[in-house]
Amino acid sequence: MPRLSLRLLWWLLAWSAIVTGGYWRASHLTNRPLHADEAVQAWLTWHLLRGDGYRYDPVDRHGPLLYFGAAGLHRLWGGNAANFGDRAARQFVWVAGVATLALIGLGATAAGFPRAVGAVAAALLAGETLTTLYQTYFVQEAWLALLVWAYFFLLLRTAPPSTAASRGIPFTLGILAGLAQCTKEIAPVYLFLATISVASVRRPCFWTSGLKAWGGGLVGWLIPYTLFYSSFGTNVAGLWDGLHSYAIQANRLTDVSHTYPWWHYARVLGVIGGHPWRWGEIGLLALAAGGLIGAIRGVMGPALRATAWFTLSLVVMHSVIPYKVPWLLVTAMIGLTLLAAGGLEHFGRRTRWTTALAIVAAILVIGQCFTVSQIALDRYPGDARNPYFYQQTSPGLSRLLARVEHLNAAADRALGIAVVSPAHAWPLPWYWRNHSHTGYFSSAPADLDGWDVVVWDSQLGEIPSVVAIDRRLEYHGLRPNVLLQVAVARPSGEIQP
């Protein structure tokens, strides 16, 4: 096939992947309630939109970029606090998902990958379940992955560091590193692994070209770090908090509530455990394993070899660290799709027969990715049996929200709602943010009889009988193993059964 026709084919495949993947993600922005973590972050963004400001919290929050970015995008589209909801919050991470598809599909060639690799990797990524899910999830990982891979691709640029075209690259690398830092505290570790992976296959590297490059990178890093952590000059203490957070965050790595064995992620991805063909993306992982071996052996070019070392280091690091949640795999999963595409490209260019086999394999694996994604996100969104979700809010919580709305509409006044929960039963505070008569308590207050609706967290045991008496008692799921007992006051004059 003529070279121009091949270039057009890969260009069309890349754009098809971007459009299809963008549409697929957009169609799953509101098919499940917000996770507790999403709700807390949406709450902070809502307060920022209301004009209440933002201060970085090094104890219990990640970087400030998510909040300022989501608020800024919402305002850019003409929104305000009043119309900021689930879709608006998740649209910000959706943008990161689409940008990641564009980076992989259209930017891989400039980073030294064969043109086919970027296009095929974008096609695989378009329907890959874990990335689709967490690029529609209001947490930091989608933006962290985008910024880290943009840094990695730019670092792979083949132009010598001394050329005029490359003089601004250290500054741009610093900007990307600073933005990644403003996204999540683990970013420096990712960036370090990316840098040494590239340096192992490409010398000289920009960071080995002298103090001038380091100076440009430092200036680039300081710009976003200073702006975001200081809340654009309104919280200078945030500059110290951003650095101090590392002493605090290190302790969270051993949080026993999220501790799992080293092989846990293999279970999440369906390599081991029950129903691997239903939930697991075995085809993609098999291709990635083949690509990893070929890349490390040095038969697939320096860009893929650097990708192999970087991806492998991410997988090993997150397997060794006891703290494990599925969204930590997003950055590594992008590397796995690149390796899978690299393996297909290397195998396919041997003969016409291998080309045909590679095309068939690519079609089958892309189809499997979309099939598993459809099962996970359409048939079992938020279901406890779905391994891609983690402590996800029960879809049935929407019935409680609708029930309270109905009670409010039927009453001649705003009902008083008491939520008794050690963790305040998130995401309820987010969904009831505009309800003016809601109280949140870590333990039972003395005056529960005065509230029209009492929401009792099962983590506190059974709801006290003195509260439930003469009330309708209902049960609603909050998340796996957490039930909400809801006691609703009966209208006056109602005959007791």
Side-chain angles (χ1 to χ4, degrees), residues 218-266:
L218 179 61
V219 171
W221 177 84
L222 279 171
I223 292 173
Y225 180 87
T226 303
L227 289 175
F228 283 104
Y229 277 97
S230 72
S231 299
F232 292 86
T234 62
N235 176 34
V236 178
L239 298 176
W240 162 247
D241 290 337
L243 300 176
H244 177 57
S245 65
Y246 287 96
I248 299 170
Q249 294 292 334
N251 295 325
R252 302 182 69 184
L253 296 178
T254 56
D255 184 349
V256 295
S257 62
H258 304 293
T259 296
Y260 294 93
W262 67 267
W263 43 262
H264 175 71
Y265 287 131

CSV table of all heavy atoms in Angstrom, one decimal, residues 218-266:
chain,number,residue,atom,x,y,z
A,218,LEU,N,12.8,24.3,36.1
A,218,LEU,CA,12.4,24.8,37.4
A,218,LEU,C,11.4,26.0,37.3
A,218,LEU,O,10.4,26.0,38.0
A,218,LEU,CB,13.6,25.1,38.2
A,218,LEU,CG,13.3,25.7,39.6
A,218,LEU,CD1,12.6,24.6,40.5
A,218,LEU,CD2,14.6,26.1,40.3
A,219,VAL,N,11.7,26.9,36.4
A,219,VAL,CA,10.8,28.1,36.2
A,219,VAL,C,9.5,27.6,35.8
A,219,VAL,O,8.4,28.1,36.2
A,219,VAL,CB,11.5,29.0,35.2
A,219,VAL,CG1,10.4,30.1,34.9
A,219,VAL,CG2,12.7,29.7,35.8
A,220,GLY,N,9.4,26.7,34.8
A,220,GLY,CA,8.2,26.1,34.3
A,220,GLY,C,7.4,25.5,35.4
A,220,GLY,O,6.2,25.6,35.5
A,221,TRP,N,8.0,24.7,36.3
A,221,TRP,CA,7.4,24.0,37.4
A,221,TRP,C,6.8,25.0,38.4
A,221,TRP,O,5.7,24.8,38.9
A,221,TRP,CB,8.4,23.1,38.0
A,221,TRP,CG,7.8,22.3,39.2
A,221,TRP,CD1,7.1,21.2,39.2
A,221,TRP,CD2,7.9,22.7,40.6
A,221,TRP,NE1,6.8,20.8,40.5
A,221,TRP,CE2,7.3,21.7,41.4
A,221,TRP,CE3,8.6,23.8,41.3
A,221,TRP,CZ2,7.2,21.8,42.8
A,221,TRP,CZ3,8.5,23.8,42.6
A,221,TRP,CH2,7.8,22.9,43.4
A,222,LEU,N,7.6,26.1,38.7
A,222,LEU,CA,7.1,27.0,39.7
A,222,LEU,C,5.9,27.8,39.3
A,222,LEU,O,5.1,28.1,40.2
A,222,LEU,CB,8.2,28.0,40.0
A,222,LEU,CG,9.4,27.5,40.9
A,222,LEU,CD1,10.5,28.5,40.9
A,222,LEU,CD2,8.8,27.3,42.3
A,223,ILE,N,5.7,28.0,38.0
A,223,ILE,CA,4.5,28.8,37.6
A,223,ILE,C,3.2,28.1,38.0
A,223,ILE,O,2.4,28.7,38.8
A,223,ILE,CB,4.5,29.1,36.1
A,223,ILE,CG1,5.7,30.0,35.8
A,223,ILE,CG2,3.2,29.7,35.6
A,223,ILE,CD1,6.0,30.2,34.3
A,224,PRO,N,2.9,26.9,37.6
A,224,PRO,CA,1.6,26.3,38.1
A,224,PRO,C,1.6,26.0,39.5
A,224,PRO,O,0.5,26.2,40.2
A,224,PRO,CB,1.5,25.0,37.2
A,224,PRO,CG,2.8,24.7,36.8
A,224,PRO,CD,3.5,26.0,36.6
A,225,TYR,N,2.7,25.6,40.1
A,225,TYR,CA,2.8,25.2,41.5
A,225,TYR,C,2.4,26.5,42.3
A,225,TYR,O,1.6,26.4,43.3
A,225,TYR,CB,4.1,24.7,41.9
A,225,TYR,CG,4.2,24.4,43.4
A,225,TYR,CD1,3.9,23.1,43.8
A,225,TYR,CD2,4.6,25.3,44.3
A,225,TYR,CE1,3.9,22.8,45.2
A,225,TYR,CE2,4.7,25.0,45.7
A,225,TYR,CZ,4.3,23.7,46.1
A,225,TYR,OH,4.3,23.4,47.4
A,226,THR,N,3.0,27.6,42.0
A,226,THR,CA,2.7,28.8,42.8
A,226,THR,C,1.3,29.3,42.6
A,226,THR,O,0.6,29.6,43.6
A,226,THR,CB,3.7,29.9,42.4
A,226,THR,OG1,5.1,29.5,42.5
A,226,THR,CG2,3.5,31.2,43.2
A,227,LEU,N,0.8,29.3,41.4
A,227,LEU,CA,-0.6,29.8,41.2
A,227,LEU,C,-1.6,28.9,41.9
A,227,LEU,O,-2.5,29.4,42.6
A,227,LEU,CB,-0.8,29.8,39.7
A,227,LEU,CG,-0.1,30.9,38.9
A,227,LEU,CD1,-0.4,30.7,37.4
A,227,LEU,CD2,-0.5,32.3,39.3
A,228,PHE,N,-1.5,27.6,41.7
A,228,PHE,CA,-2.6,26.7,42.2
A,228,PHE,C,-2.5,26.5,43.7
A,228,PHE,O,-3.5,26.6,44.4
A,228,PHE,CB,-2.6,25.4,41.5
A,228,PHE,CG,-3.1,25.4,40.1
A,228,PHE,CD1,-2.3,25.4,39.0
A,228,PHE,CD2,-4.5,25.5,39.9
A,228,PHE,CE1,-2.9,25.5,37.7
A,228,PHE,CE2,-5.1,25.6,38.7
A,228,PHE,CZ,-4.2,25.6,37.6
A,229,TYR,N,-1.3,26.2,44.3
A,229,TYR,CA,-1.2,26.0,45.7
A,229,TYR,C,-1.4,27.2,46.5
A,229,TYR,O,-1.9,27.1,47.7
A,229,TYR,CB,0.1,25.3,46.0
A,229,TYR,CG,0.1,23.8,45.8
A,229,TYR,CD1,0.6,23.3,44.6
A,229,TYR,CD2,-0.4,23.0,46.7
A,229,TYR,CE1,0.6,21.9,44.4
A,229,TYR,CE2,-0.4,21.6,46.5
A,229,TYR,CZ,0.1,21.1,45.3
A,229,TYR,OH,0.1,19.7,45.1
A,230,SER,N,-1.2,28.4,46.0
A,230,SER,CA,-1.5,29.6,46.7
A,230,SER,C,-2.9,30.1,46.5
A,230,SER,O,-3.3,31.2,46.9
A,230,SER,CB,-0.5,30.7,46.3
A,230,SER,OG,-0.8,31.2,45.0
A,231,SER,N,-3.7,29.3,45.8
A,231,SER,CA,-5.1,29.7,45.4
A,231,SER,C,-5.0,31.0,44.7
A,231,SER,O,-5.8,31.9,45.0
A,231,SER,CB,-6.0,29.7,46.6
A,231,SER,OG,-6.0,28.4,47.2
A,232,PHE,N,-4.1,31.2,43.7
A,232,PHE,CA,-3.9,32.4,43.0
A,232,PHE,C,-3.7,33.6,43.8
A,232,PHE,O,-4.3,34.7,43.7
A,232,PHE,CB,-5.1,32.6,42.0
A,232,PHE,CG,-5.2,31.5,40.9
A,232,PHE,CD1,-5.8,30.3,41.2
A,232,PHE,CD2,-4.6,31.7,39.7
A,232,PHE,CE1,-5.9,29.3,40.2
A,232,PHE,CE2,-4.6,30.8,38.7
A,232,PHE,CZ,-5.2,29.6,38.9
A,233,GLY,N,-2.8,33.4,44.8
A,233,GLY,CA,-2.4,34.5,45.7
A,233,GLY,C,-3.2,34.7,46.9
A,233,GLY,O,-2.8,35.6,47.7
A,234,THR,N,-4.2,34.0,47.1
A,234,THR,CA,-5.1,34.2,48.3
A,234,THR,C,-4.7,33.3,49.5
A,234,THR,O,-5.3,33.5,50.6
A,234,THR,CB,-6.6,34.0,47.9
A,234,THR,OG1,-6.7,32.6,47.6
A,234,THR,CG2,-7.0,34.9,46.8
A,235,ASN,N,-3.8,32.4,49.3
A,235,ASN,CA,-3.5,31.5,50.4
A,235,ASN,C,-2.0,31.1,50.3
A,235,ASN,O,-1.6,30.0,49.8
A,235,ASN,CB,-4.3,30.2,50.4
A,235,ASN,CG,-3.9,29.2,51.4
A,235,ASN,OD1,-3.5,29.6,52.5
A,235,ASN,ND2,-4.0,27.9,51.1
A,236,VAL,N,-1.1,32.0,50.7
A,236,VAL,CA,0.3,31.8,50.5
A,236,VAL,C,0.8,30.6,51.3
A,236,VAL,O,1.7,29.9,50.9
A,236,VAL,CB,1.1,33.1,51.0
A,236,VAL,CG1,2.6,32.9,50.9
A,236,VAL,CG2,0.6,34.3,50.1
A,237,ALA,N,0.1,30.3,52.4
A,237,ALA,CA,0.5,29.1,53.2
A,237,ALA,C,0.4,27.8,52.5
A,237,ALA,O,1.1,26.8,52.8
A,237,ALA,CB,-0.3,29.1,54.5
A,238,GLY,N,-0.4,27.8,51.4
A,238,GLY,CA,-0.6,26.6,50.6
A,238,GLY,C,0.7,26.2,49.9
A,238,GLY,O,0.9,25.0,49.6
A,239,LEU,N,1.7,27.2,49.7
A,239,LEU,CA,2.9,26.8,49.0
A,239,LEU,C,3.7,25.9,49.9
A,239,LEU,O,4.3,24.9,49.4
A,239,LEU,CB,3.7,28.1,48.8
A,239,LEU,CG,3.1,29.1,47.8
A,239,LEU,CD1,3.9,30.3,47.7
A,239,LEU,CD2,2.9,28.5,46.4
A,240,TRP,N,3.7,26.1,51.2
A,240,TRP,CA,4.4,25.2,52.2
A,240,TRP,C,3.6,23.9,52.3
A,240,TRP,O,4.1,22.8,52.4
A,240,TRP,CB,4.6,25.9,53.5
A,240,TRP,CG,4.8,24.9,54.6
A,240,TRP,CD1,4.0,24.6,55.7
A,240,TRP,CD2,6.0,24.1,54.8
A,240,TRP,NE1,4.6,23.6,56.5
A,240,TRP,CE2,5.8,23.3,56.0
A,240,TRP,CE3,7.2,23.9,54.0
A,240,TRP,CZ2,6.7,22.4,56.4
A,240,TRP,CZ3,8.1,23.0,54.5
A,240,TRP,CH2,7.9,22.2,55.7
A,241,ASP,N,2.2,24.0,52.4
A,241,ASP,CA,1.4,22.9,52.6
A,241,ASP,C,1.6,21.9,51.4
A,241,ASP,O,1.5,20.6,51.7
A,241,ASP,CB,-0.1,23.3,52.6
A,241,ASP,CG,-0.4,24.0,53.9
A,241,ASP,OD1,0.3,23.8,54.9
A,241,ASP,OD2,-1.4,24.8,53.9
A,242,GLY,N,1.8,22.4,50.2
A,242,GLY,CA,2.0,21.5,49.1
A,242,GLY,C,3.3,20.6,49.3
A,242,GLY,O,3.3,19.5,48.8
A,243,LEU,N,4.3,21.1,49.9
A,243,LEU,CA,5.5,20.3,50.2
A,243,LEU,C,5.3,19.5,51.4
A,243,LEU,O,5.8,18.3,51.5
A,243,LEU,CB,6.7,21.3,50.3
A,243,LEU,CG,7.0,22.1,49.0
A,243,LEU,CD1,8.2,23.0,49.3
A,243,LEU,CD2,7.3,21.2,47.8
A,244,HIS,N,4.7,20.1,52.4
A,244,HIS,CA,4.5,19.4,53.7
A,244,HIS,C,3.6,18.2,53.6
A,244,HIS,O,3.7,17.2,54.4
A,244,HIS,CB,3.9,20.4,54.7
A,244,HIS,CG,3.6,19.8,56.1
A,244,HIS,ND1,4.6,19.1,56.8
A,244,HIS,CD2,2.5,19.7,56.8
A,244,HIS,CE1,4.0,18.7,57.9
A,244,HIS,NE2,2.8,19.0,57.9
A,245,SER,N,2.8,18.2,52.5
A,245,SER,CA,1.9,17.1,52.3
A,245,SER,C,2.5,15.7,52.2
A,245,SER,O,1.9,14.7,52.5
A,245,SER,CB,1.0,17.3,51.1
A,245,SER,OG,1.8,17.3,49.9
A,246,TYR,N,3.8,15.7,51.8
A,246,TYR,CA,4.5,14.4,51.5
A,246,TYR,C,4.7,13.6,52.8
A,246,TYR,O,4.6,12.4,52.9
A,246,TYR,CB,5.7,14.6,50.7
A,246,TYR,CG,5.5,14.9,49.3
A,246,TYR,CD1,5.4,16.2,48.9
A,246,TYR,CD2,5.1,13.9,48.4
A,246,TYR,CE1,5.1,16.5,47.6
A,246,TYR,CE2,4.8,14.2,47.1
A,246,TYR,CZ,4.8,15.5,46.7
A,246,TYR,OH,4.4,15.8,45.4
A,247,ALA,N,5.0,14.3,53.9
A,247,ALA,CA,5.2,13.7,55.2
A,247,ALA,C,3.8,13.1,55.7
A,247,ALA,O,3.8,12.1,56.4
A,247,ALA,CB,5.7,14.7,56.2
A,248,ILE,N,2.7,13.8,55.3
A,248,ILE,CA,1.4,13.3,55.7
A,248,ILE,C,0.9,12.2,54.8
A,248,ILE,O,0.4,11.2,55.3
A,248,ILE,CB,0.4,14.5,55.7
A,248,ILE,CG1,0.9,15.6,56.6
A,248,ILE,CG2,-1.0,14.0,56.0
A,248,ILE,CD1,0.1,16.9,56.5
A,249,GLN,N,1.1,12.3,53.5
A,249,GLN,CA,0.5,11.4,52.6
A,249,GLN,C,1.2,10.0,52.7
A,249,GLN,O,0.6,9.0,52.4
A,249,GLN,CB,0.6,11.9,51.1
A,249,GLN,CG,-0.2,13.1,50.8
A,249,GLN,CD,-1.7,12.8,50.8
A,249,GLN,OE1,-2.1,11.7,50.6
A,249,GLN,NE2,-2.5,13.8,51.1
A,250,ALA,N,2.5,10.0,53.1
A,250,ALA,CA,3.2,8.8,53.2
A,250,ALA,C,2.6,7.8,54.1
A,250,ALA,O,2.6,6.6,54.0
A,250,ALA,CB,4.7,9.0,53.6
A,251,ASN,N,2.0,8.4,55.2
A,251,ASN,CA,1.3,7.5,56.2
A,251,ASN,C,0.0,6.8,55.6
A,251,ASN,O,-0.4,5.8,56.1
A,251,ASN,CB,0.9,8.3,57.4
A,251,ASN,CG,2.1,8.9,58.1
A,251,ASN,OD1,3.2,8.2,58.2
A,251,ASN,ND2,2.0,10.0,58.7
A,252,ARG,N,-0.5,7.4,54.6
A,252,ARG,CA,-1.8,6.9,54.0
A,252,ARG,C,-1.5,5.6,53.2
A,252,ARG,O,-2.4,4.9,52.9
A,252,ARG,CB,-2.5,7.9,53.1
A,252,ARG,CG,-2.8,9.2,53.9
A,252,ARG,CD,-3.5,10.2,53.0
A,252,ARG,NE,-4.9,9.7,52.7
A,252,ARG,CZ,-5.7,10.4,51.9
A,252,ARG,NH1,-5.3,11.5,51.3
A,252,ARG,NH2,-6.9,10.0,51.6
A,253,LEU,N,-0.3,5.4,52.8
A,253,LEU,CA,0.0,4.2,52.0
A,253,LEU,C,-0.2,2.9,52.7
A,253,LEU,O,-0.4,1.8,52.1
A,253,LEU,CB,1.5,4.3,51.5
A,253,LEU,CG,1.8,5.4,50.6
A,253,LEU,CD1,3.3,5.4,50.2
A,253,LEU,CD2,1.0,5.4,49.3
A,254,THR,N,-0.2,3.0,54.0
A,254,THR,CA,-0.4,1.8,54.8
A,254,THR,C,-1.8,1.8,55.5
A,254,THR,O,-2.1,1.1,56.5
A,254,THR,CB,0.6,1.6,55.9
A,254,THR,OG1,0.6,2.8,56.7
A,254,THR,CG2,2.0,1.4,55.3
A,255,ASP,N,-2.7,2.6,55.0
A,255,ASP,CA,-4.1,2.6,55.5
A,255,ASP,C,-4.7,1.3,55.3
A,255,ASP,O,-4.9,0.7,54.2
A,255,ASP,CB,-4.9,3.7,54.7
A,255,ASP,CG,-6.3,3.9,55.2
A,255,ASP,OD1,-6.7,3.1,56.0
A,255,ASP,OD2,-7.0,4.8,54.7
A,256,VAL,N,-5.0,0.6,56.5
A,256,VAL,CA,-5.5,-0.7,56.5
A,256,VAL,C,-6.8,-0.9,55.8
A,256,VAL,O,-7.2,-2.0,55.3
A,256,VAL,CB,-5.6,-1.3,57.9
A,256,VAL,CG1,-4.2,-1.4,58.5
A,256,VAL,CG2,-6.5,-0.5,58.8
A,257,SER,N,-7.6,0.2,55.7
A,257,SER,CA,-8.9,0.0,55.1
A,257,SER,C,-8.8,-0.1,53.6
A,257,SER,O,-9.8,-0.5,52.9
A,257,SER,CB,-9.8,1.3,55.4
A,257,SER,OG,-9.2,2.4,54.9
A,258,HIS,N,-7.7,0.1,53.0
A,258,HIS,CA,-7.5,0.0,51.5
A,258,HIS,C,-6.3,-0.9,51.2
A,258,HIS,O,-5.6,-0.7,50.2
A,258,HIS,CB,-7.3,1.3,50.9
A,258,HIS,CG,-8.5,2.3,51.1
A,258,HIS,ND1,-9.7,2.1,50.6
A,258,HIS,CD2,-8.5,3.4,51.8
A,258,HIS,CE1,-10.5,3.1,51.0
A,258,HIS,NE2,-9.8,3.9,51.8
A,259,THR,N,-6.0,-1.8,52.1
A,259,THR,CA,-4.8,-2.7,52.0
A,259,THR,C,-5.2,-4.0,51.3
A,259,THR,O,-6.1,-4.7,51.8
A,259,THR,CB,-4.1,-2.9,53.3
A,259,THR,OG1,-3.6,-1.6,53.8
A,259,THR,CG2,-2.9,-3.9,53.2
A,260,TYR,N,-4.4,-4.4,50.3
A,260,TYR,CA,-4.7,-5.6,49.6
A,260,TYR,C,-3.4,-6.3,49.2
A,260,TYR,O,-2.4,-5.7,49.2
A,260,TYR,CB,-5.5,-5.4,48.3
A,260,TYR,CG,-6.9,-4.8,48.6
A,260,TYR,CD1,-7.2,-3.5,48.7
A,260,TYR,CD2,-8.0,-5.7,48.8
A,260,TYR,CE1,-8.4,-3.0,49.0
A,260,TYR,CE2,-9.3,-5.2,49.1
A,260,TYR,CZ,-9.5,-3.9,49.2
A,260,TYR,OH,-10.7,-3.4,49.5
A,261,PRO,N,-3.4,-7.6,48.9
A,261,PRO,CA,-2.2,-8.3,48.5
A,261,PRO,C,-1.6,-7.8,47.2
A,261,PRO,O,-2.3,-7.2,46.4
A,261,PRO,CB,-2.6,-9.8,48.5
A,261,PRO,CG,-4.1,-9.8,48.3
A,261,PRO,CD,-4.6,-8.5,49.0
A,262,TRP,N,-0.4,-8.2,46.9
A,262,TRP,CA,0.3,-7.7,45.7
A,262,TRP,C,-0.4,-8.1,44.4
A,262,TRP,O,-0.3,-7.3,43.4
A,262,TRP,CB,1.7,-8.2,45.7
A,262,TRP,CG,1.9,-9.6,45.5
A,262,TRP,CD1,2.0,-10.6,46.5
A,262,TRP,CD2,2.0,-10.3,44.3
A,262,TRP,NE1,2.1,-11.8,45.9
A,262,TRP,CE2,2.1,-11.7,44.6
A,262,TRP,CE3,2.0,-9.9,42.9
A,262,TRP,CZ2,2.2,-12.7,43.5
A,262,TRP,CZ3,2.1,-10.9,41.9
A,262,TRP,CH2,2.2,-12.2,42.2
A,263,TRP,N,-1.1,-9.2,44.4
A,263,TRP,CA,-1.8,-9.6,43.2
A,263,TRP,C,-3.2,-9.1,43.0
A,263,TRP,O,-3.9,-9.5,42.1
A,263,TRP,CB,-1.8,-11.2,43.2
A,263,TRP,CG,-2.2,-11.8,44.5
A,263,TRP,CD1,-1.4,-12.3,45.4
A,263,TRP,CD2,-3.5,-12.0,45.0
A,263,TRP,NE1,-2.1,-12.8,46.5
A,263,TRP,CE2,-3.4,-12.6,46.3
A,263,TRP,CE3,-4.8,-11.7,44.5
A,263,TRP,CZ2,-4.5,-12.9,47.0
A,263,TRP,CZ3,-5.9,-12.0,45.3
A,263,TRP,CH2,-5.8,-12.6,46.5
A,264,HIS,N,-3.6,-8.2,43.8
A,264,HIS,CA,-5.0,-7.7,43.8
A,264,HIS,C,-5.3,-7.1,42.5
A,264,HIS,O,-6.5,-7.3,42.0
A,264,HIS,CB,-5.1,-6.6,44.9
A,264,HIS,CG,-6.5,-5.9,44.9
A,264,HIS,ND1,-7.6,-6.6,45.2
A,264,HIS,CD2,-6.9,-4.7,44.5
A,264,HIS,CE1,-8.7,-5.8,45.1
A,264,HIS,NE2,-8.2,-4.6,44.7
A,265,TYR,N,-4.5,-6.3,41.8
A,265,TYR,CA,-4.8,-5.7,40.5
A,265,TYR,C,-5.0,-6.8,39.4
A,265,TYR,O,-5.8,-6.5,38.5
A,265,TYR,CB,-3.7,-4.7,40.1
A,265,TYR,CG,-3.8,-3.4,41.0
A,265,TYR,CD1,-2.6,-2.9,41.5
A,265,TYR,CD2,-5.0,-2.8,41.2
A,265,TYR,CE1,-2.7,-1.8,42.3
A,265,TYR,CE2,-5.0,-1.6,41.9
A,265,TYR,CZ,-3.9,-1.1,42.5
A,265,TYR,OH,-3.9,0.0,43.2
A,266,ALA,N,-4.3,-7.9,39.5
A,266,ALA,CA,-4.6,-9.0,38.6
A,266,ALA,C,-6.0,-9.5,38.7
A,266,ALA,O,-6.6,-9.9,37.7
A,266,ALA,CB,-3.6,-10.1,38.8
